[in-house]
Amino acid sequence: MFVTFSYDVILGKRSTCFQKPKMAACSVEDVLAKAEQEEAEKLKSISVQKELDLEFDIGNLVAYDKNRIDIRKFRQQKKDDFLRSLARDNTQLLINEIWKHPTERVEEVIVVKLPEPTTPLPREKPPPKPRPPTKWEEFAKLKGIQKKKKTNLVWDDVAKEWKRRWGYKRVNDGTKEWLIEVPETADPNEDQFAKRNKAKKEKVAKNELNRLRNIARSQKIKVPGVGLTPTAEQSKTDLARAVSVAKVSTASVGKFQDRLPKEKAPKNTGKKRKFQPVIGNFSNEKQRQLDMLKVMDSKKPRLDVVKAANKQMRADDREEAAEKFKKGGKKGRKGGNFSGKGGGGGKGKGGGGGKGRAGGKGRGPPGGKKGSGKPGKR
Amino acid sequence: MKQANGVVKPKTRRAKRFLDNRASKLTENVKNSMIMKGGNTSLTVTQALKDIYSLKKPNADIESPICFCLQEFFSKKTDSSLFLFGSHNKKRPNNLIFGRLFDFHVLDMIELGIETYKSLSDIKTSKCPEGTKPMLVFAGEAFDNDNDHKRMKSLLTDFFRGPVVPSVRLAGLEHVLHFTALEGKIYMRSYRSLLKKSGCRTPRIELEEIGPSFDFVLRRTHLASDDLYKKAHKQPKALKPKKKKNISHNTFGTKFGRLHMQKQDLSKLQTRKMKGLRKRGRPVVEGEASLKTADTE
């Protein structure tokens, strides 16, 4: 509308399609000024004068006013009135800002779409860590085994319907078989059903143990091995292993723990040989082979002769001391009040004394020739 | 409480859902607050706690631990990460401690003393419905200049903001909380905004004081160290908005993208076929051909 008016003013003619009744004091400037005044009045009610613009975080409906607060005014007026007028101004600016955002109609209600909140606020809990892979998952990754997605339902011809692959009322439910053939090798009096139940319980327990082991590995907590946390009937080997582990779990790693009268020394308690995986780090394997070749090439002997000799001498001394004490102990026994601790203490002391001496002794003959090269101890 | 690291598996679906809700997630739940009454509280403090509880009603729990040390236990039980502890003794009368937790350990704690207090029941006007998301306004330069005040601004925003929503009903923007920092004191006022008609689309605001009004004085603060604070703000990568590639703008703001096409066999291009120009052995009559092209144009 304005454009045609000004065009007319410039050219000095009225446009033919625009018909307006001539008013008494109608000039373009007056009409324009009037329109502007109306606009200003409308805006006056919602405009607020501030030195610094406020900062807004509309996502959180927050406004930050950084302007200086006039302390004199604050003291002059009543506190509450001053605060209320300040609040009104700030809220007006916040509302103006909110109204600038797009709105939409949702079920007869007008709703404004808020943007994402911009103030960084701390989280409640740390972000979730990705679950570390289980032992099977690691192996599958190494071998390149893909996970095959299977359907949940399987067609069962017997029942002529779709049944679950696993879970309640599944297809191949071995536990529901009411007829079990006794195999030829089995004892006819054995309860096959009980055997089946037991096998199932063992499978469940094994699965649970593996799950806990996976969790423990992911959290790097040590989990005791099989048999140490007794659950079911334990075999002789399991018990023996449990006893040996318990024996070694003292502060001095079981050195001063006595054996029972007829207890045999535990076997297989040395270090477990650890093998490298068959397919794995090729560069690692190569490095290892090269190192081994280097060792084989070098002229240095792998056996430290000096150390070996000392060790053997010490062991001999200890044996002698033990025999001596035994003889002496047998003589000095008073009516069988021979406490195990006294004997053990004596043995320990004899061994200690022998060790202290061996340091400065002969570096000559290798191997253990009993009684040769030693000054007369007896 | 049972071990939360997966050792004890939940036996029902409902229990599993409950545990998953409390576990650490990408986008988190609304922060629950725990409002605690200390061993010795004055009437002012009790009333103040009740008022703030009613402000935060759906996401707050009231507890009365005997000692402040039990706060960690209670926060794990109710899964809250914000707390407000009120106490009263001769040295620190009418004390309120606002605090927040990260991973159930204390992140920030700010102790405010109530100097003047007017409760909800003192101011007799009609109140806002429970659970309205309030608008927050922080006024005063102190909130920008002083480090303590900056942290307090963040803590108060966290405390009072309510759930984060994608959209808000325009008529429901009623509640306004106004914080003013002046001369070491913080004035908190709570108003109800009335949206009046103005000439244009945006309404004019008139405020009516409802809700509790506090005059706080800042006492002690226990703020988190900078690196713990940064750690608490770390957002998981998955939440960051994915950058859209292949979009560029020129100086006028026109959006440009690049289309990658396969190589075209130009001999097999589909063009307009002039029937007369077909190689069929028909003699080409020039006049007809030109007429035809004029028509097709």
Side-chain angles (χ1 to χ4, degrees):
Chain A
M1 183 182 108
F2 292 138
V3 172
T4 45
F5 258 45
S6 59
Y7 184 76
D8 289 340
V9 163
I10 290 167
L11 289 185
K13 63 177 176 189
R14 198 163 275 180
S15 110
T16 47
C17 47
F18 195 80
Q19 309 264 329
K20 191 185 175 188
K22 209 171 181 178
M23 284 204 294
C26 172
S27 77
V28 174
E29 288 88 13
D30 276 347
V31 175
L32 279 174
K34 203 169 169 200
E36 251 183 69
Q37 219 179 10
E38 278 176 23
E39 282 275 340
E41 265 180 39
K42 278 189 200 170
L43 286 176
K44 213 202 304 188
S45 56
I46 61 163
S47 63
V48 175
Q49 281 298 334
K50 284 271 186 180
E51 274 178 11
L52 280 173
D53 278 335
L54 306 197
E55 275 177 19
F56 300 101
D57 174 14
I58 301 296
N60 281 327
L61 297 179
V62 189
Y64 302 109
D65 178 13
K66 294 189 173 64
N67 291 301
R68 273 191 73 241
I69 300 174
D70 206 346
I71 301 179
R72 282 179 289 121
K73 258 198 193 166
F74 178 68
R75 296 226 181 97
Q76 278 171 3
Q77 271 183 307
K78 263 180 83 177
K79 208 171 39 164
D80 278 336
D81 292 336
F82 177 80
L83 289 174
R84 181 202 280 230
S85 62
L86 178 65
R88 195 222 80 80
D89 289 340
N90 287 336
T91 320
Q92 181 71 64
L93 287 168
L94 178 59
I95 291 278
N96 290 353
E97 188 65 30
I98 294 176
W99 248 255
K100 284 184 195 160
H101 285 265
T103 60
E104 60 176 11
R105 210 182 169 80
V106 173
E107 291 172 19
E108 300 149 15
V109 167
I110 303 181
V111 149
V112 64
K113 286 191 21 196
L114 299 174
E116 291 281 328
T118 52
T119 33
L121 288 169
R123 283 175 64 99
E124 235 186 340
K125 298 167 190 139
K129 284 189 206 124
R131 212 172 45 120
T134 60
K135 197 144 185 218
W136 166 254
E137 280 171 3
E138 282 172 19
F139 180 74
K141 202 164 61 168
L142 200 62
K143 285 276 197 175
I145 300 173
Q146 306 293 50
K147 218 178 177 180
K148 284 207 190 94
K149 186 125 185 163
K150 297 184 183 148
T151 57
N152 273 348
L153 300 174
V154 178
W155 178 252
D156 187 15
D157 260 339
V158 176
K160 294 273 188 295
E161 61 175 3
W162 289 96
K163 278 200 174 165
R164 281 172 223 196
R165 193 190 293 274
W166 46 266
Y168 181 59
K169 286 190 189 162
R170 57 179 172 275
V171 175
N172 298 326
D173 197 350
T175 55
K176 290 282 193 301
E177 287 284 320
W178 49 267
L179 180 76
I180 308 180
E181 288 178 12
V182 177
E184 291 185 37
T185 52
D187 176 20
N189 292 332
E190 193 187 11
D191 188 357
Q192 294 294 330
F193 293 100
K195 188 170 152 196
R196 188 174 65 187
N197 283 344
K198 210 174 93 164
K200 170 104 184 147
K201 285 202 181 118
E202 279 174 9
K203 261 192 266 172
V204 169
K206 179 172 173 267
N207 193 16
E208 185 65 19
L209 178 73
N210 280 331
R211 184 180 78 91
L212 291 176
R213 271 218 211 118
N214 275 326
I215 293 171
R217 198 184 330 110
S218 71
Q219 295 184 355
K220 302 204 174 34
I221 305 167
K222 286 201 197 236
V223 153
V226 186
L228 297 172
T229 42
T231 44
E233 291 294 306
Q234 291 176 297
S235 67
K236 195 171 168 185
T237 46
D238 284 346
L239 286 171
R241 203 181 306 157
V243 165
S244 59
V245 170
K247 204 168 178 187
V248 184
S249 332
T250 55
S252 19
V253 206
K255 203 162 158 192
F256 303 110
Q257 296 300 113
D258 308 308
R259 264 187 254 135
L260 293 171
K262 288 209 178 151
E263 195 182 341
K264 289 182 211 152
K267 38 183 184 174
N268 307 333
T269 48
K271 269 197 205 158
K272 221 171 147 181
R273 257 189 93 180
K274 211 172 183 194
F275 296 102
Q276 301 299 318
V278 174
I279 312 160
N281 206 341
F282 288 124
S283 58
N284 230 6
E285 200 181 332
K286 183 177 169 190
Q287 196 58 41
R288 206 171 314 201
Q289 307 278 21
L290 287 174
D291 284 342
M292 200 186 298
L293 283 173
K294 209 200 280 185
V295 165
M296 293 201 306
D297 262 342
S298 75
K299 305 284 190 216
K300 271 203 307 189
R302 285 292 277 175
L303 181 65
D304 191 358
V305 173
V306 170
K307 214 169 174 182
N310 284 340
K311 217 171 180 182
Q312 184 59 45
M313 283 198 285
R314 260 183 267 140
D316 291 344
D317 286 345
R318 219 178 303 155
E319 273 182 42
E320 278 179 45
E323 276 182 31
K324 208 181 176 187
F325 190 79
K326 243 191 197 171
K327 281 190 208 156
K330 275 197 181 131
K331 277 188 204 161
R333 204 161 43 137
K334 289 170 194 169
N337 270 8
F338 198 30
S339 70
K341 261 196 185 159
K347 272 188 219 154
K349 276 190 213 146
K355 255 194 264 176
R357 258 197 333 115
K361 282 309 161 170
R363 299 167 174 263
K369 281 197 222 139
K370 214 173 178 180
S372 72
K374 268 193 274 184
K377 187 189 163 198
R378 297 180 191 147
Chain B
M1 203 163 79
K2 302 223 170 115
Q3 272 181 304
N5 54 5
V7 176
V8 180
K9 268 208 293 198
K11 291 214 161 56
T12 53
R13 275 263 172 91
R14 185 161 171 243
K16 184 166 179 270
R17 259 186 284 136
F18 177 79
L19 285 178
D20 281 343
N21 193 25
R22 289 214 173 169
S24 48
K25 302 195 272 202
L26 280 180
T27 40
E28 298 191 309
N29 302 339
V30 183
K31 286 193 183 181
N32 202 19
S33 5
M34 195 170 39
I35 299 184
M36 296 188 283
K37 214 167 78 152
N40 191 9
T41 49
S42 62
L43 193 63
T44 330
V45 171
T46 326
Q47 195 61 40
L49 290 177
K50 277 200 194 140
D51 283 347
I52 295 186
Y53 171 66
S54 61
L55 273 183
K56 287 213 65 170
K57 220 8 164 355
N59 302 316
D61 294 312
I62 287 198
E63 307 277 345
S64 313
I66 302 157
C67 146
F68 186 58
C69 340
L70 287 177
Q71 151 241 23
E72 208 177 293
F73 168 70
F74 275 112
S75 65
K76 277 201 192 142
K77 210 156 185 244
T78 56
D79 195 30
S80 351
S81 52
L82 295 166
F83 67 86
L84 172 59
F85 181 77
S87 68
H88 175 79
N89 48 21
K90 205 162 176 191
K91 193 170 176 198
R92 280 174 241 281
N94 299 331
N95 216 12
L96 284 184
I97 303 181
F98 285 87
R100 62 183 159 194
L101 309 167
F102 175 67
D103 202 15
F104 303 114
H105 298 295
V106 168
L107 185 64
D108 286 336
M109 281 199 289
I110 293 184
E111 191 174 39
L112 298 167
I114 306 176
E115 289 206 329
T116 330
Y117 164 60
K118 262 193 254 168
S119 78
L120 271 175
S121 39
D122 283 345
I123 307 170
K124 293 181 193 350
T125 45
S126 61
K127 317 286 179 198
C128 286
E130 191 183 282
T132 37
K133 192 169 158 80
M135 295 184 275
L136 305 167
V137 185
F138 291 90
E141 320 167 284
F143 277 128
D144 211 29
N145 299 339
D146 186 22
N147 205 24
D148 280 350
H149 282 83
K150 269 197 235 175
R151 285 285 181 96
M152 186 168 16
K153 187 169 68 170
S154 157
L155 191 106
L156 291 171
T157 322
D158 220 354
F159 204 87
F160 286 111
R161 73 168 167 164
V164 181
V165 284
S167 48
V168 152
R169 199 173 71 110
L170 283 181
L173 291 167
E174 288 182 316
H175 196 192
V176 182
L177 285 170
H178 192 263
F179 298 90
T180 322
L182 196 61
E183 296 170 330
K185 292 201 196 164
I186 297 167
Y187 302 94
M188 172 178 151
R189 299 282 182 273
S190 161
Y191 301 102
R192 181 173 178 190
S193 68
L194 308 160
L195 308 166
K196 296 265 158 73
K197 263 196 213 262
S198 75
C200 47
R201 200 171 147 249
T202 322
R204 183 181 159 77
I205 296 286
E206 292 295 333
L207 293 183
E208 192 190 340
E209 185 160 2
I210 53 161
S213 92
F214 293 95
D215 288 353
F216 288 125
V217 64
L218 181 63
R219 287 183 187 155
R220 296 178 292 179
T221 60
H222 175 92
L223 303 175
S225 60
D226 274 337
D227 45 307
L228 181 60
Y229 198 63
K230 258 194 215 164
K231 189 175 165 203
H233 281 263
K234 239 184 172 177
Q235 300 291 342
K237 250 191 183 172
L239 275 185
K240 284 193 212 151
K242 263 193 129 177
K243 195 172 172 206
K244 273 192 171 170
K245 289 188 179 176
N246 200 13
I247 294 181
S248 58
H249 298 264
N250 73 351
T251 46
F252 295 106
T254 329
K255 217 170 175 185
F256 284 102
R258 234 199 164 105
L259 268 178
H260 297 268
M261 307 247 317
Q262 287 174 334
K263 190 153 184 178
Q264 283 180 307
D265 189 6
L266 292 172
S267 61
K268 297 209 173 79
L269 260 183
Q270 171 87 328
T271 52
R272 282 185 140 180
K273 293 175 181 66
M274 313 299 181
K275 210 166 171 188
L277 299 174
R278 273 200 214 154
K279 292 179 184 172
R280 258 203 210 154
R282 237 207 285 179
V284 178
V285 181
E286 286 204 359
E288 279 180 27
S290 58
L291 258 177
K292 284 224 170 80
T293 49
D295 279 337
T296 49
E297 264 167 21

